[in-house]
Amino acid sequence: MQPDIIRIEGLERRYDMGGEIIHALRGVSLTISRNEYVAIMGPSGSGKSTMMNVLGCLDTPDAGSYWLNGQEVSQLTDDALARVRNKEIGFVFQTFNLLPRASALHNVELPLVYAGVSASGRSERARQALDRVGLGDRMHHRPNELSGGQRQRVAIARALVNDPSILLADEPTGNLDSNTSEEIMAVFAELHRLGQTVIMVTHEPDIAEHAERVVTLRDGRVESDRLNQESAA
Amino acid sequence: MALQTIWAQKLKSFFSLIGVLIGVTFLIAVVSIVQGMNVYVESAVTDEVGGVNSFQLRQRPNFTGGDVDEAQWRSWFRRPRISYEDSEYLRERMTVPATFANYCADRVTLEYDGRRASDIELRGTEESYFDLKAYELDAGRVFVRQEVRTGSPVVLLGFEVASRLFEGEDPLGKSVKIAGIPYRVIGVVESQGTLFGMSQDKFAIMPYSAPGRRLICPLNVMDELMIRPDNPQQLDAAVGEVEALMRARRQLKPDEANNFTIETADEALEFWDKISTVLFTALPLLVGISLVVGGIVIMNIMLMAVSERTREIGIRKAIGAKRGDILSQFVVEAATLSVTGAGIGILAGLGLAFVVKALTPFPAAVAPWSIGLGVTLGILVGVVAGVYPAIRASRLDPITALRAE
Ligand SMILES: Nc1ncnc2c1ncn2[C@@H]1O[C@H](COP(=O)(O)OP(=O)(O)OP(=O)(O)O)[C@@H](O)[C@H]1O
Ligand SMILES: [Mg+2]
């Protein structure tokens, strides 16, 4: 077995909605190894996004532990978390979340800016990352000059540019048509083949097919955790 | 990047620029104008008085603050005028070694060969005047004691008068007419240039005793007696002595006020000093107010920018921006805005100063320190106004920020 890259235990997340407490996560425990390709499924409101945000250090849990690469993340300071988000995690959002006024190249360079990489190093690495997702010829376009699939590729290039330990994607194909979705899945498959750990939330079973392992959440708990037949075979 | 963002939000940026811009424009324009007026008034007054080391004995003040009522004017005009005898009396009794010059002046028209030069200041004085005014001659000579004593009809022309009447001809020895009386030109005074747009060369100088002296002063009296102690250190002593001698001569009792005026350059400048002090006190206040207003505008713009750009902040934090990174981004943006505002403000302020210079006789003496102060204040206001919104922005939780719409 590969070493654990992610280990969560008894993770809880509550939202206080004006007196009414919503339990988005009710004690989730999970272990993910290096180079795994995991799909997270489950009905709407089951807590998938909440869990991904905690895994991506964008949100902090109310209870439970989270070890990333053997490091207890919930104890970290704000700046240390920023460092983890910058170096260890690549996050791909359903809505892309690109800076609208910046070119594709500048969007991809941004994590390197915060990593303190020199201007020349930034531009070279950002170009390489864009090449990897097949967008080398569009790097001076702004997001609104790109198709949805192309925008998501820019977002993937941005997520990858700092060589993160894990790639997290919350419904990366949620805003894309099925052809484009397949293209994005091909990019993920290639990244996984090259050794990238990938965790992806999806509603669609045929997208989940691409993963090796499928974790299903229901009502803030893990309902099932199984290996895909194809990949297992 | 800061510039890019600012450019992208042109309109809002423009409005926030305005605050700082107005503050700085104001600062530079007012400082320039006040300083220019200072330079102007000081040299004009000093020139009029005859230099910083001289003073004048007069019937009434030449320079008055605007706050003189009619009763005051009337009492001044009731005073005895300064007479030739007063002048003789002082010269005989003064113990402080000094140079004296009787002086009287009025506007006249000069004629030569059908050409006329009007609105020329005809000055009646004596030979020591040239020394007191430190006039150099372009041509000819000054008049001598003998010519003053006999009242010779000789005249020296200011540079502009000479060139206007003679147009390249040699004026020396020629005869000009003033109110029908002929005078022989014996010299031309070197050009004094212009004092803030006004020619300083429109004058003619003759012995105060020359024929036609009634054109400028009634018989036996003068506008002023110019006095300069030979040793500048003795200015105060000389003033004191003149005052004491005049009081004795006019038999004033100890409780009676002087019925004459002694005007030094300092005294003449006093009235102006009052005004410029007020201006310089009010100035920081006005500039302060406009910069604070500018700062508040910038702060609001930045707060708006923060709530509008919460999503951007979320994105930046999600990919690893630390609090400090967000903070410095916003501070830099605010500073860029205010420095740009200050820059335009400097140009506008200079522009305004030059407009004033062009439309008024006042020079616009641009003070480098006002530009420095403008830039410093501009940056300060921008950074202070940028810090508060920036701190708020940097504290946001990434996921909270990302959800904002
Ligand atoms: N910021 C929030 N404030 C209050 N409640 C929240 C917040 N975010 C999530 N929730 C609630 O927590 C629960 C889990 O939400 P979450 O977004 O994790 O679901 P999800 O599985 O991602 O659903 P979907 O498939 O629709 O994206 C839901 O009941 C949701 O309403
Ligand atoms: Mg979700």
Side-chain angles (χ1 to χ4, degrees):
Chain A
M1 208 43 197
Q2 301 272 6
D4 296 346
I5 195 159
I6 282 176
R7 191 151 71 86
I8 53 179
E9 267 176 24
L11 216 58
E12 289 182 31
R13 184 73 174 94
R14 295 179 286 269
Y15 293 106
D16 188 346
M17 295 299 284
E20 193 198 352
I21 307 284
I22 295 168
H23 292 266
L25 297 176
R26 302 169 186 263
V28 176
S29 301
L30 200 64
T31 304
I32 293 169
S33 308
R34 194 172 295 282
N35 198 23
E36 267 195 294
Y37 189 174
V38 184
I40 313 282
M41 296 195 72
S44 187
S46 56
K48 306 181 295 293
S49 291
T50 305
M51 187 177 87
M52 287 297 268
N53 293 339
V54 171
L55 292 182
C57 296
L58 301 173
D59 198 5
T60 40
D62 296 303
S65 304
Y66 172 19
W67 287 272
L68 176 63
N69 275 331
Q71 189 180 28
E72 169 59 288
V73 168
S74 53
Q75 306 298 321
L76 294 178
T77 63
D78 209 69
D79 276 2
L81 279 175
R83 238 189 77 85
V84 169
R85 288 195 291 269
N86 187 242
K87 298 255 199 266
E88 307 290 334
I89 293 161
F91 210 114
V92 176
F93 301 88
Q94 180 177 352
T95 53
F96 321 133
N97 279 335
L98 299 172
L99 293 186
R101 284 188 277 270
S103 67
L105 186 67
H106 188 83
N107 265 292
V108 177
E109 277 183 31
L110 214 51
L112 300 171
V113 171
Y114 295 125
V117 178
S118 74
S120 56
R122 285 205 297 265
S123 135
E124 192 183 321
R125 280 168 65 178
R127 280 161 206 270
Q128 283 170 3
L130 281 166
D131 279 338
R132 275 172 81 181
V133 297
L135 269 184
D137 56 340
R138 292 282 197 284
M139 52 196 170
H140 296 297
H141 292 235
R142 288 181 180 196
N144 62 3
E145 296 160 350
L146 296 170
S147 72
Q150 288 169 333
R151 286 182 212 185
Q152 197 58 298
R153 283 171 202 234
V154 174
I156 294 168
R158 181 180 66 185
L160 293 175
V161 76
N162 249 346
D163 288 324
S165 318
I166 46 171
L167 180 64
L168 299 173
D170 191 354
E171 302 196 43
T173 60
N175 281 10
L176 304 176
D177 63 43
S178 53
N179 276 343
T180 321
S181 297
E182 281 306 322
E183 283 170 32
I184 297 295
M185 284 307 103
V187 173
F188 275 38
E190 175 66 6
L191 292 171
H192 175 239
R193 195 183 64 76
L194 294 171
Q196 183 71 54
T197 311
V198 180
I199 306 171
M200 165 183 75
V201 170
T202 182
H203 274 298
E204 296 154 72
D206 50 333
I207 294 292
E209 289 289 288
H210 293 272
E212 304 167 313
R213 177 181 164 193
V214 178
V215 175
T216 309
L217 296 186
R218 181 178 294 276
D219 230 357
R221 291 194 179 87
V222 177
E223 186 190 52
S224 73
D225 186 349
R226 64 181 170 81
L227 293 180
N228 253 339
Q229 272 86 13
E230 278 174 62
S231 331
Chain B
M1 191 60 205
L3 266 176
Q4 239 177 319
T5 313
I6 288 165
W7 184 243
Q9 308 189 335
K10 292 178 210 83
L11 196 67
K12 260 177 284 151
S13 304
F14 171 74
F15 281 114
S16 57
L17 277 181
I18 295 288
V20 170
L21 195 152
I22 290 172
V24 173
T25 302
F26 207 71
L27 179 94
I28 289 172
V30 174
V31 168
S32 300
I33 292 162
V34 171
Q35 284 227 325
M37 282 163 78
N38 246 338
V39 171
Y40 172 73
V41 171
E42 253 160 51
S43 50
V45 166
T46 308
D47 196 62
E48 195 71 24
V49 173
V52 273
N53 297 323
S54 338
F55 61 98
Q56 310 166 331
L57 174 65
R58 300 175 55 86
Q59 177 201 32
R60 57 180 191 275
N62 193 10
F63 296 96
T64 55
D67 51 356
V68 179
D69 58 23
E70 222 183 300
Q72 176 68 268
W73 274 114
R74 255 185 265 123
S75 87
W76 278 343
F77 277 92
R78 272 198 304 271
R79 290 170 166 188
R81 295 197 63 162
I82 308 299
S83 66
Y84 293 177
E85 287 77 27
D86 292 334
S87 175
E88 286 309 312
Y89 179 86
L90 288 174
R91 289 178 206 225
E92 277 164 25
R93 287 171 181 75
M94 284 275 287
T95 59
V96 175
T99 306
F100 299 81
N102 295 354
Y103 179 89
C104 230
D106 211 338
R107 309 246 157 214
V108 298
T109 298
L110 276 70
E111 283 172 89
Y112 171 74
D113 195 21
R115 282 192 285 272
R116 297 159 64 86
S118 51
D119 201 28
I120 304 303
E121 189 177 62
L122 177 61
R123 303 170 184 172
T125 183
E126 49 196 305
E127 74 285 357
S128 49
Y129 178 77
F130 299 96
D131 178 33
L132 286 174
K133 296 288 277 189
Y135 279 159
E136 301 283 338
L137 299 190
D138 260 358
R141 60 172 181 88
V142 303
F143 43 76
V144 294
R145 185 79 233 149
Q146 181 63 26
E147 286 165 314
V148 175
R149 215 169 304 161
T150 58
S152 302
V154 292
V155 71
L156 284 95
L157 301 180
F159 184 81
E160 191 178 328
V161 180
S163 46
R164 233 200 272 170
L165 287 180
F166 292 94
E167 288 176 355
E169 234 181 289
D170 181 10
L172 290 184
K174 303 277 161 49
S175 175
V176 294
K177 275 188 175 163
I178 306 172
I181 302 166
Y183 293 81
R184 186 161 52 90
V185 178
I186 58 167
V188 176
V189 179
E190 185 184 69
S191 173
Q192 304 299 302
T194 56
L195 187 59
F196 319 119
M198 292 187 297
S199 167
Q200 296 300 295
D201 297 311
K202 291 166 77 172
F203 62 84
I205 306 171
M206 65 173 194
Y208 69 87
S209 48
R213 59 180 181 266
R214 280 186 198 78
L215 283 175
I216 50 177
C217 257
L219 201 64
N220 206 33
V221 298
M222 64 191 81
D223 287 342
E224 62 196 36
L225 172 62
M226 297 174 70
I227 306 163
R228 187 187 63 198
D230 295 347
N231 178 356
Q233 308 273 292
Q234 289 184 297
L235 182 68
D236 289 344
V239 169
E241 212 177 2
V242 168
E243 186 180 5
L245 286 169
M246 282 303 288
R247 288 184 66 88
R249 177 168 164 78
R250 292 186 172 178
Q251 295 167 336
L252 298 177
K253 300 196 190 74
D255 60 336
E256 270 182 297
N258 289 345
N259 58 359
F260 52 88
T261 294
I262 293 173
E263 208 158 57
T264 63
D266 277 355
E267 238 165 81
L269 285 172
E270 213 168 77
F271 134 73
W272 168 248
D273 276 351
K274 259 185 257 166
I275 294 181
S276 67
T277 305
V278 170
L279 280 175
F280 270 104
T281 321
L283 176 72
L285 207 77
L286 291 168
V287 169
I289 289 169
S290 51
L291 282 176
V292 165
V293 170
I296 290 170
V297 172
I298 292 191
M299 173 126 65
N300 274 304
I301 299 294
M302 294 318 285
L303 279 174
M304 262 163 61
V306 169
S307 46
E308 275 183 11
R309 287 164 61 194
T310 312
R311 214 178 149 80
E312 176 190 333
I313 291 165
I315 294 171
R316 288 175 184 273
K317 293 200 84 168
I319 60 175
K322 297 187 177 71
R323 268 185 201 182
D325 296 323
I326 302 290
L327 192 80
S328 55
Q329 182 195 340
F330 275 76
V331 170
V332 166
E333 276 179 24
T336 309
L337 261 185
S338 51
V339 169
T340 312
I344 300 173
I346 288 171
L347 293 182
L350 292 180
L352 212 66
F354 281 112
V355 167
V356 168
K357 182 183 176 169
L359 298 182
T360 71
F362 304 124
V366 173
W369 65 261
S370 72
I371 295 179
L373 188 69
V375 172
T376 312
L377 283 179
I379 295 174
L380 206 74
V381 163
V383 171
V384 168
V387 163
Y388 172 65
I391 287 175
R392 277 188 29 161
S394 70
R395 292 238 171 101
L396 292 173
D397 207 19
I399 199 66
T400 318
L402 273 174
R403 279 211 193 92
E405 199 46 75

